[in-house]
Amino acid sequence: MSINIGRFSDTTEPTPEEQPGMVSEGQKPPELVYGSAEEFLHEQLLPTYVRDVDGRAAKWCTEWYFHPEAVSRIEALWRAWEHLRLDGATGISVWFRDHADHHMNVLMDPRGPFYKCDMQKHRDPEHLEPRKAPEGWFPDVRAIRS
């Protein structure tokens, strides 16, 4: 019996070359299912991670790509998914628990990166403007290692 959930499926134990992070010498790494974070968002993430986005309890911006934090988190979700999909035992559970639920809760939080937007209009986020620390407080570790 095979159950498909999005692009995850219950399979038998992966062979050594299919195990996450395991690529034998001379073998190519597994091919990606999706070619970009955007393709992953449209074809896997949003169709399977459905929530009521009412603007009060959850927010989303249709122009999510203008939000650097959103881009970074969606990229992280995609890369984690590509890695964990190879684990036929617990990959989907680990991905939802450790990645999707965490990052999507942050992204859709009313005070999250889309806090100024609504479903009809994007508004540029305000970036934090930190001051530079006094000289010498954070030495460049690349120079220390040399």
Side-chain angles (χ1 to χ4, degrees):
M1 178 174 97
S2 178
I3 300 171
N4 290 326
I5 302 172
R7 295 280 184 128
F8 284 103
S9 63
D10 70 338
T11 60
T12 58
E13 287 297 313
T15 62
E17 61 272 4
E18 295 174 322
Q19 290 187 8
M22 301 290 290
V23 178
S24 301
E25 195 172 314
Q27 289 188 332
K28 293 187 334 187
E31 287 194 33
L32 298 173
V33 173
Y34 300 105
S36 70
E38 181 181 32
E39 182 183 7
F40 169 76
L41 175 80
H42 289 285
E43 293 187 21
Q44 176 67 38
L45 182 59
L46 295 183
T48 59
Y49 205 93
V50 179
R51 297 292 185 275
D52 183 16
V53 180
D54 62 5
R56 292 182 317 270
K59 295 197 82 155
W60 187 260
C61 180
T62 57
E63 294 182 285
W64 60 273
Y65 39 82
F66 286 127
H67 298 267
E69 180 182 355
V71 171
S72 185
R73 287 181 182 277
I74 292 165
E75 177 89 12
L77 284 167
W78 168 50
R79 293 186 179 277
W81 185 91
E82 289 284 0
H83 177 76
L84 290 167
R85 72 182 173 83
L86 300 173
D87 179 348
T90 60
I92 190 170
S93 179
V94 170
W95 182 78
F96 270 106
R97 183 195 68 209
D98 293 351
H99 302 278
D101 290 340
H102 172 74
H103 289 296
M104 292 302 284
N105 283 337
V106 171
L107 286 171
M108 295 191 305
D109 187 294
R111 297 180 332 194
F114 306 135
Y115 74 98
K116 289 184 115 184
C117 301
D118 58 43
M119 291 299 287
Q120 286 76 39
K121 183 156 174 67
H122 163 75
R123 292 177 182 88
D124 286 332
E126 292 177 21
H127 297 279
L128 299 175
E129 295 296 332
R131 291 184 183 169
K132 289 280 188 180
E135 187 70 33
W137 279 33
F138 296 95
D140 188 332
V141 296
R142 296 170 295 188
I144 296 170
R145 290 182 184 166
S146 299

